[in-house]
């Protein structure tokens, strides 16, 4: 275990020193990039060694490539606008719902820059080796390269499953074994073997002052073997992420995004029932035993002797019946899952307004509001809003017409009562117009049946007159009416299907 945990957080430069030299040196590669100032100072060796000559050639080429970087940067500044999302600093507003206190933090971030991008990539690649090394050790641990290490992991996992409170101890113990003890052993190394007699070499003793410098994690040098190894691992990691992302999109999304609405509805129903059952019976399940068996089964499935057996069993007994199981599932979904075939429909309305002009009614416009005597636009003296032609009336956004023609609402009394409209006369026969009531006091002052305001022109309260009914029922042509009349037209609309935008 000491050999395994000692080099857990050591850079690859230190690890490569213990490896045997290969029969053929790696090929020399020149990177056409502009190195960072701090990185140049680290990668410039003495002029007498062949490595120094290679570094000087790379530095000269990088100086020439800096002109190319600057030209590309100037070109991008001309092509990409400053206000493009994700390319500028903090001038752009953040997404809706983002905390306002984060705006100042993001406003201090630098803009997109080719040179900064190149420098950051080189710095990142020089320091990412510890992550890939940890990933390689995890893969080695789970793939049974060293069975004793894997069995030790299973033993720790078993204790945690049997006593979940040990889960708080595992990170602390791992930090002690993987960080502090290897760091102390690096400062207080054991004496080399063979330097003492058998009587004197009684074991390791930590006594005495530190004999070696502290071990640190240093970035690998550019143009070194570890640098290109990190680039290789980073390239493969990006490919693995793309493959995993595409696999999730091709397998999980089709059954969850309701592209196949029947299948997604069946899955939604199954998850709903499972949620209800788990809410009731989750406390009765032996979760420790389930976690123990699942963990052991998952790790044992990667054993070199068990993995081929599982693959053979799947190909022999499971794969031949997958098509039959899928056909039964599709048949059950087709028989038991009933979907709404008709789209949602709603009723929309429009009011036809006409105005009195020399004992005749002049068609005025079609408005979404009835423009009744006590409406806000009427009191404010605003003109009604709408369109003059029936053909210009459009359905609401996201809806289409479900019927070919408009229908006259014959129940004019109902929509007047629903809106609590007063000061009007309702026509229950004929064309179902709703007229403004004629106001004799307003007509004597030059108005045409306009309702009086509650105050006089001098600002004094008006003397109340005899109460009049809020609305009256009348027939066509009976009595004198006010200035406006309106009637209601209705039409059905249905939801419009939207197409996916690429």
């Amino acid at each position: 275990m000491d050999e395994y945990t000692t080099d857990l957080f050591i850079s690859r430069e230190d690890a490569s020193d213990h490896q045997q030299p290969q029969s053929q040196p790696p090929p020399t590669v020149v990177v056409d990039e502009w190195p960072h100032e701090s990185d140049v100072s680290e990668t410039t060796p003495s002029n007498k060694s062949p490595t120094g000559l290679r570094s000087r050639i790379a530095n000269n080429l990088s100086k020439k490539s800096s002109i190319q970087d600057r030209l590309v940067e100037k070109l991008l500044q001309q092509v990409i606008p400053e206000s493009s999302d994700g390319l500028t600093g903090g001038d752009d507003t953040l997404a809706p719902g983002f905390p306002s206190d984060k705006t100042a933090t993001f406003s201090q971030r630098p803009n997109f820059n080719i040179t900064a991008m190149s420098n950051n990539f080189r710095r990142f690649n020089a320091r990412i080796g510890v992550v890939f090394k940890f990933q390689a050790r995890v893969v080695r641990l789970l793939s049974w390269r060293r069975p004793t290490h894997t069995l030790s992991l299973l033993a720790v996992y078993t204790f945690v499953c049997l006593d979940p409170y040990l889960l708080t101890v595992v990170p602390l113990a791992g930090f002690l074994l993987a960080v502090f003890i290897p760091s102390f052993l690096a400062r207080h190394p054991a004496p080399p073997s063979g330097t003492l007699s058998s009587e004197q070499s009684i074991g390791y003793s930590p006594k005495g002052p530190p004999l070696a410098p502290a071990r640190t994690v240093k970035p690998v040098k550019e143009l070194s073997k570890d640098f290109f190894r990190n680039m290789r691992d980073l390239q493969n990691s990006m490919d693995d992420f793309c493959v995993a992302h595409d696999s999730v999109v091709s397998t999980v999304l089709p059954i969850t995004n309701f592209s196949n609405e029947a299948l997604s509805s069946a899955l939604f129903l199954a998850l709903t029932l499972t949620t209800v059952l788990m809410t009731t019976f989750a406390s009765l399940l032996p979760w420790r035993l389930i976690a123990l068996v699942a963990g052991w089964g998952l790790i044992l499935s990667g054993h070199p002797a068990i993995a081929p057996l599982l693959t053979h069993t799947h190909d022999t007994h499971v794969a031949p019946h997958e098509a039959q199981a899928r056909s039964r599932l599709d048949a059950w979904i087709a028989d038991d899952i009933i979907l709404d075939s008709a789209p949602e429909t709603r009723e929309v309305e429009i009011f036809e307004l006409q105005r009195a002009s020399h004992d005749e009614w002049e068609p005025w416009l079609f408005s979404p509001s009835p423009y009744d005597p006590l409406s806000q636009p009427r009191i404010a003296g605003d003109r009604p809003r709408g369109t003059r032609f029936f053909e210009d009336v459009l359905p609401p956004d996201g809806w289409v017409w479900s019927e070919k023609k408009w229908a006259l609402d014959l129940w004019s009394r109902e929509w007047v009562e629903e809106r609590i409209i007063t000061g009007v006369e309702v026509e229950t026969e004929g064309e179902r117009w709703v007229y403004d009531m004629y106001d004799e006091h307003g007509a004597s002052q030059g108005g045409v049946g306009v309702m009086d305001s509650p105050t006089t022109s001098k600002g004094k309260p008006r003397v109340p007159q005899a109460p009049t009914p809020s609305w009256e029922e009348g027939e066509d042509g009976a009595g004198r009416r006010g200035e406006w009349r309106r009637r209601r037209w209705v039409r059905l609309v249905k939801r419009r299907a939207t197409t996916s935008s690429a």
Side-chain angles (χ1 to χ4, degrees), residues 36-222:
H36 196 266
E37 294 180 358
S38 60
D39 297 333
V40 170
S41 61
E42 296 177 359
T43 58
T44 305
S46 61
N47 297 333
K48 297 181 180 180
S49 61
T51 308
L53 178 60
R54 184 174 62 181
S55 300
R56 284 184 294 172
I57 295 175
N59 292 335
N60 293 332
L61 292 177
S62 64
K63 292 180 180 178
K64 295 180 180 179
S65 64
S66 63
I67 301 177
Q68 299 176 1
D69 292 340
R70 293 176 182 177
L71 291 177
V72 173
E73 181 181 353
K74 294 296 183 181
L75 179 61
L76 288 178
Q77 290 179 356
Q78 297 294 330
V79 175
I80 302 175
E82 289 293 333
S83 60
S84 299
D85 296 338
L87 297 178
T88 59
D91 297 335
D92 297 340
T93 57
L94 297 177
F98 206 86
S100 58
D101 56 347
K102 300 294 183 181
T103 306
T105 303
F106 279 86
S107 62
Q108 300 175 0
R109 307 295 293 177
N111 298 340
F112 175 76
N113 186 276
I114 290 292
T115 305
M117 185 70 178
S118 176
N119 293 335
N120 292 339
F121 175 77
R122 291 200 308 273
R123 293 168 56 196
F124 175 79
N125 188 72
R127 293 161 174 80
I128 196 62
V130 63
V131 177
F132 293 134
K133 189 171 184 179
F134 178 76
Q135 179 184 359
R137 290 189 178 276
V138 171
V139 172
R140 184 189 306 174
L141 182 64
L142 298 179
S143 59
W144 296 82
R145 299 285 182 84
R146 295 182 179 179
T148 55
H149 294 173
T150 308
L151 291 176
S152 300
L153 173 64
L154 288 175
V156 173
Y157 180 77
T158 302
F159 282 116
V160 171
C161 290
L162 296 179
D163 191 1
Y165 296 102
L166 293 177
L167 191 61
T168 59
V169 181
V170 171
L172 302 177
F175 202 72
L176 290 174
L177 295 176
V179 178
F180 280 95
I181 292 180
S183 299
F184 182 82
L185 293 178
R187 290 280 283 166
H188 301 267
S193 59
T195 57
L196 298 176
S197 61
S198 59
E199 292 81 4
Q200 294 176 341
S201 57
I202 57 177
Y204 173 76
S205 177
K207 298 180 180 180
L211 302 177
R215 179 175 293 169
T216 60
V217 179
K218 298 180 180 179
V220 299
K221 297 180 180 180
E222 293 188 13

Side-chain angles (χ1 to χ4, degrees), residues 314-331:
H314 178 271
D315 296 339
T316 305
H317 300 284
V318 179
H321 302 284
E322 288 182 355
Q324 183 179 2
R326 183 59 186 270
S327 61
R328 291 183 179 179
L329 178 62
D330 294 340

Side-chain angles (χ1 to χ4, degrees), residues 19 49 64 105 111 114 184 230 239 338 353-354 398 415 454 467 472:
Q19 298 177 358
S49 61
K64 295 180 180 179
T105 303
N111 298 340
I114 290 292
F184 182 82
N230 291 345
D239 180 70
I338 301 176
L353 301 182
Q354 292 186 0
W415 66 263
E472 296 180 354

